[in-house]
C-alpha cells in the first residue's frame, strides 16, 4: 500500500535520528517489498532510477546502474557481453538476459567500488537478474517491478533483510525542487533536460566520424554524468561506463581517477589475469581485492602477503612495460565531462587509456588548446553545449 511517508532507521549516520522520507503532496512513488532501505540507499536508488530510466529512453535498451554514495560505480545497457568480459566479470556460468547483461556490465566495470552497492534497473526484474543479484554483496535493488519468482529469490537474500524496492515508472516529480541546508531552503528547477542526439551535432575537431555504437556510448556518458556528483568525468565503451571520476575539485584529477579504473578494467581482461587460479573457498570480495592488488605497481608487505595467499600458485605480476604494451591495444573509448576542459592535461591523460571520442560542453577560454590536443591524437570531439553539474 502506498503512503505519504516512510520512517527510516537513521539518516546519513546512526546518530542522525529521527529520519524519514515523505511527500508534501500525494503519495510516495515507491513501495518497499522486502527489507528496510536506509537514507543513503534511497538517495542512491532515486538518483539511479533517474539515470537508468532516461538511459532506457535514449538507447531503447534495458539499463542498469550500480550506485555507491550517490554516484554510479558502473552503468550498463543490454549489449551482449564477449566471452572475455563474461569471464572477467565472473558471469560466464550465468544465464544472461538483456537486463541481467546490463547489470553484469554495471557491476563488473569496477567491482571494488560496487561492493555493497544499491542496484537500479530500468525493467521488471527477471529470474536471471535476480540470480545475479543474489550472488553479489549488495544492499538492495530498485526496479519498476519484479517477476514473482525473482521477488522470492531476492526476499531470501541476506537472511530476508535484502532491500527490494518498487517504483512507479510513470511518476513525475514537481517542476521545482527544494532542499534544506543548515536550516536554509534552496530551490531550483528540477533538471528535466533530456539528453538526446541533438547534443552530438557540433563536431569541433578535424576528425568527425560517429558510428551508431559511438553515438550510444556518448549518450551513456552524458546521462551518467547528469546523475554523478560533480566535478565528474566518465569513460564508456561498448555500452557501459568503464571508469568514473566523481566529486573531485580538479577536472584532471577526475580524469586521472577514472582513467586508472579504465586501466584496471582492461588489465583484468589480459590472458594472465583471466588465468589466475584461486584457492578453494576464497570469497568473491576477497578474490576481487586480490586481483586489484595483483594489478597494482607497488604493494606494502602486508598487501603482498594477502594477495599471495589467495592463489593456488603465486603468479608473476606484470612489469610496467608489460602493462603499457597491453593498454596500448585499447582503442575506441568515449570520454564525457560534465563541464568544459580548462586545459589539455585531461586529453593528454585520456589518450593513454584508449580514448578516441570526447564529449564536453565547451565554452572555455582555452577551447582552442583542447581542440588542438584532440587533433594531435586524431580524436573526435563534440561540444554538447550543456553543463551537467550535479550536487
Amino acid at each position: 500500500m502506498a503512503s505519504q511517508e516512510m520512517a527510516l532507521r537513521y539518516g546519513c549516520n546512526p546518530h542522525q535520528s529521527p529520519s524519514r522520507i515523505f511527500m508534501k503532496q500525494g503519495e510516495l512513488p515507491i513501495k518497499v517489498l522486502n527489507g528496510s532501505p536506509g537514507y543513503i540507499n534511497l538517495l542512491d536508488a532515486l538518483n539511479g532510477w533517474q539515470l537508468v530510466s532516461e538511459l532506457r529512453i535514449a538507447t531503447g535498451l534495458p539499463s542498469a546502474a550500480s550506485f555507491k554514495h550517490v554516484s554510479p560505480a558502473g552503468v550498463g545497457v543490454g549489449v551482449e557481453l564477449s566471452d572475455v568480459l563474461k569471464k572477467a566479470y565472473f558471469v560466464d556460468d550465468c544465464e544472461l538476459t538483456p537486463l541481467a547483461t546490463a547489470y553484469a556490465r554495471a557491476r563488473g566495470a569496477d567491482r571494488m567500488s560496487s561492493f555493497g552497492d544499491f542496484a537500479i534497473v530500468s525493467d521488471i526484474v527477471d529470474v536471471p537478474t535476480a540470480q545475479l543479484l543474489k550472488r553479489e554483496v549488495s544492499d538492495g535493488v530498485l526496479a519498476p517491478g519484479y517477476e514473482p519468482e525473482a521477488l522470492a529469490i531476492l526476499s531470501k537474500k541476506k537472511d530476508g533483510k535484502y532491500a527490494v524496492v518498487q517504483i512507479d515508472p510513470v511518476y513525475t516529480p514537481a517542476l521545482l525542487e527544494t532542499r534544506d541546508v543548515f536550516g536554509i531552503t534552496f530551490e531550483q528547477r528540477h533538471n528535466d533536460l533530456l539528453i538526446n542526439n541533438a547534443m552530438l551535432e557540433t563536431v569541433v575537431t578535424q576528425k568527425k566520424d560517429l558510428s551508431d555504437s559511438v553515438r550510444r556510448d556518448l549518450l551513456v556518458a552524458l546521462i551518467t554524468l547528469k546523475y554523478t556528483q560533480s566535478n565528474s568525468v566518465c569513460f564508456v565503451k561498448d555500452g557501459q561506463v568503464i571508469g568514473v571520476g566523481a566529486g573531485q575539485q580538479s577536472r584532471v584529477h577526475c580524469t586521472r581517477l577514472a582513467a586508472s579504473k579504465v586501466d584496471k578494467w582492461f588489465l583484468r581482461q589480459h590472458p594472465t589475469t583471466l588465468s589466475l587460479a584461486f584457492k578453494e573457498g576464497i570469497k568473491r570480495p576477497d578474490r576481487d581485492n586480490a586481483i586489484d592488488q595483483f594489478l597494482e605497481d607497488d604493494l606494502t608487505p602486508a598487501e603482498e602477503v594477502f594477495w599471495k595467499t589467495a592463489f593456488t600458485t603465486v603468479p608473476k605480476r606484470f612489469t610496467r612495460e608489460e602493462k603499457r604494451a597491453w593498454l596500448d591495444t585499447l582503442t575506441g573509448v568515449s570520454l564525457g565531462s560534465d563541464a568544459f576542459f580548462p586545459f589539455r592535461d585531461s586529453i593528454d591523460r585520456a589518450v593513454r587509456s584508449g580514448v578516441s571520442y570526447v564529449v564536453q560542453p565547451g565554452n572555455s577560454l582555452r577551447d582552442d588548446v583542447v581542440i588542438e590536443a584532440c587533433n594531435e591524437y586524431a580524436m573526435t570531439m563534440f561540444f554538447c553545449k550543456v553543463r551537467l553539474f550535479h550536487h
Side-chain angles (χ1 to χ4, degrees):
M1 178 180 296
S3 63
Q4 194 169 4
E5 72 171 66
M6 181 191 304
L8 305 175
R9 296 189 304 277
Y10 50 78
C12 285
N13 300 290
H15 63 270
Q16 291 178 265
S17 183
S19 174
R20 64 171 177 151
I21 60 170
F22 65 95
M23 300 289 288
K24 294 177 181 177
Q25 293 181 337
E27 296 180 330
L28 287 168
I30 59 173
K31 296 189 295 185
V32 176
L33 305 183
N34 192 76
S36 179
Y39 188 99
I40 296 174
N41 292 153
L42 292 174
L43 286 175
D44 286 341
L46 295 175
N47 270 277
W49 171 250
Q50 294 175 82
L51 194 166
V52 301
S53 56
E54 184 169 345
L55 199 53
R56 186 68 162 97
I57 293 169
T59 67
L61 296 167
S63 306
S66 170
F67 258 70
K68 285 286 293 292
H69 296 288
V70 207
S71 282
V75 176
V77 297
V79 175
E80 187 174 356
L81 287 165
S82 67
D83 289 341
V84 168
L85 280 179
K86 286 179 182 178
K87 189 170 184 180
Y89 294 171
F90 306 114
V91 295
D92 49 339
D93 60 342
C94 299
E95 177 187 355
L96 293 174
T97 58
L99 186 64
T101 299
Y103 181 65
R105 284 187 176 279
R107 177 78 189 206
D110 182 2
R111 292 186 58 83
M112 294 285 287
S113 295
S114 284
F115 177 83
D117 70 343
F118 208 92
I120 305 96
V121 297
S122 63
D123 293 25
I124 292 173
V125 174
D126 53 20
V127 170
T129 305
Q131 293 284 12
L132 191 56
L133 284 161
K134 176 185 176 182
R135 61 198 286 178
E136 300 291 1
V137 178
S138 172
D139 278 358
V141 58
L142 177 140
Y146 300 83
E147 293 180 356
E149 187 179 347
L151 179 58
I153 291 168
L154 295 172
S155 296
K156 296 176 183 176
K157 183 175 170 66
K158 295 179 71 173
D159 296 323
K161 297 178 182 178
Y162 189 65
V164 181
V165 185
Q166 183 173 335
I167 189 165
D168 179 356
V170 300
Y171 167 71
T172 302
L175 186 59
L176 290 179
E177 60 187 14
T178 61
R179 64 191 294 189
D180 289 348
V181 178
F182 199 52
I184 298 170
T185 299
F186 289 66
E187 182 178 82
Q188 67 173 356
R189 181 189 177 109
H190 176 69
N191 191 359
D192 58 349
L193 177 72
L194 291 178
I195 306 299
N196 56 60
N197 286 320
M199 296 179 184
L200 303 177
E201 291 180 350
T202 304
V203 189
V204 297
T205 47
Q206 295 168 359
K207 194 170 184 181
K208 302 183 184 298
D209 64 308
L210 179 62
S211 66
D212 288 343
S213 60
V214 171
R215 185 185 300 275
R216 175 204 61 210
D217 287 354
L218 293 170
L219 291 175
V220 171
L222 289 174
I223 293 171
T224 298
L225 291 166
K226 183 179 173 184
Y227 301 104
T228 301
Q229 296 296 294
S230 298
N231 283 330
S232 60
V233 304
C234 73
F235 292 64
V236 179
K237 185 172 174 62
D238 296 336
Q240 72 169 95
V241 172
I242 56 175
V244 178
Q248 304 301 303
Q249 289 74 32
S250 161
R251 186 127 330 250
V252 72
H253 289 153
C254 294
T255 305
R256 290 171 184 166
L257 173 60
S260 69
K261 295 181 179 183
V262 172
D263 293 351
K264 281 195 173 180
W265 170 81
F266 195 57
L267 284 165
R268 280 168 47 207
Q269 300 172 57
H270 192 285
T272 297
T273 313
L274 292 175
S275 65
L276 292 172
F278 295 90
K279 290 183 178 178
E280 188 174 351
I282 294 291
K283 294 182 178 180
R284 296 170 74 84
D286 290 332
R287 177 192 55 196
D288 293 333
N289 289 342
I291 293 173
D292 188 76
Q293 291 179 353
F294 171 71
L295 296 175
E296 282 289 313
D297 289 327
D298 302 299
L299 295 176
T300 67
E303 289 172 326
E304 290 273 7
V305 170
F306 169 75
W307 78 266
K308 286 181 178 179
T309 60
F311 304 106
T312 54
T313 57
V314 178
K316 179 180 177 295
R317 293 169 65 213
F318 295 110
T319 64
R320 293 177 186 269
E321 292 73 22
E322 289 170 334
K323 284 184 179 181
R324 189 66 260 161
W326 177 254
L327 292 173
D328 284 343
T329 66
L330 176 61
T331 60
V333 175
S334 294
L335 168 65
S337 176
D338 65 359
F340 62 67
F341 288 112
F343 305 99
R344 63 171 288 161
D345 48 9
S346 289
I347 303 301
D348 293 328
R349 175 60 187 89
V351 73
R352 291 164 47 203
S353 295
V355 169
S356 303
Y357 306 92
V358 180
V359 61
Q360 57 132 326
N363 200 33
S364 165
L365 293 174
R366 297 182 182 85
D367 277 348
D368 57 334
V369 176
V370 178
I371 292 170
E372 181 183 357
C374 288
N375 285 333
E376 286 179 22
Y377 297 125
M379 292 180 183
T380 305
M381 184 163 66
F382 305 83
F383 281 0
C384 65
K385 302 180 182 179
V386 176
R387 194 178 76 177
L388 295 168
F389 279 170
H390 181 63
H391 291 282

